[in-house]
Amino acid sequence: YAMLLSLIFLIVLVAAVVGFVFRHEIKTNFESNLNLALRDYNVSADRHSEAVDTIQRTLHCCGVQNYSDWGRTEYFTQRGIPRSCCKSQDDCSEEDLKDLSKAKLKVFVDGCFFLVTSTMESKMSVVAGISFGIACFQLVGIILACCLSQYITNNQYEMV
């Protein structure tokens, strides 16, 4: 049991170190994937398009860096900016969404990349605290399992 807990502890420790060391690569990867999701955004509800819509609705953002990122997509030439960018669904017409200057007043202007990464970074202290707490419990479990094993080994010959 102590060996299993030690193995899990080491895996969590390695994952935390790798995540900390490669955090900039994770950001770069996320930005490029978000750009790809915008480029391939379409009307048929695939997973990537739904994810973009969910991020934009939830975080009140539009595009990667800002709302004008949609102007470089194929979707924009056909239908304009997606409705998930609208501040108010009732006040967003398709004509407004096809014109970037009019859309600026109707949609969220901030990009999603900065909001997602800042939200993740702000929650990192909570995640680190919870992880540290779990690691402490694992270390206590390892120590207690080793103590129990030692106790059983020492008293093995006294049993009747």
Side-chain angles (χ1 to χ4, degrees), residues 18-121:
V18 167
F20 181 75
V21 169
F22 293 112
R23 68 185 180 277
H24 298 295
E25 285 81 2
I26 293 170
K27 278 185 179 179
T28 305
N29 218 358
F30 175 71
E31 185 177 17
S32 65
N33 284 331
L34 193 56
N35 277 317
L36 281 172
L38 253 67
R39 190 192 72 203
D40 297 336
Y41 186 89
N42 57 28
V43 186
S44 65
D46 67 334
R47 288 186 346 219
H48 300 290
S49 299
E50 287 178 18
V52 169
D53 286 336
T54 302
I55 289 172
Q56 291 182 152
R57 259 189 238 104
T58 306
L59 295 178
H60 303 296
C61 59
C62 190
V64 178
Q65 299 301 328
N66 59 36
Y67 76 101
S68 63
D69 293 337
W70 283 104
R72 296 185 293 274
T73 64
E74 187 177 321
Y75 182 82
F76 180 79
T77 58
Q78 298 169 358
R79 306 191 80 190
I81 297 174
R83 295 190 66 79
S84 59
C85 284
C86 293
K87 292 177 184 175
S88 170
Q89 295 296 321
D90 301 332
D91 190 31
C92 244
S93 67
E94 196 168 319
E95 296 129 17
D96 292 338
L97 294 175
K98 286 186 176 182
D99 183 8
L100 283 177
S101 59
K102 288 181 184 176
K104 184 177 184 176
L105 304 170
K106 308 278 182 167
V107 300
F108 303 111
V109 292
D110 296 328
C112 294
F113 175 71
F114 176 73
L115 288 173
V116 168
T117 54
S118 64
T119 301
M120 284 176 23
E121 287 173 356

Side-chain angles (χ1 to χ4, degrees), residues 147-160:
C147 290
L148 180 63
S149 172
Q150 187 68 31
Y151 179 76
I152 290 171
T153 304
N154 288 343
N155 293 327
Q156 184 176 7
Y157 299 108
E158 295 176 17
M159 299 170 109
V160 180

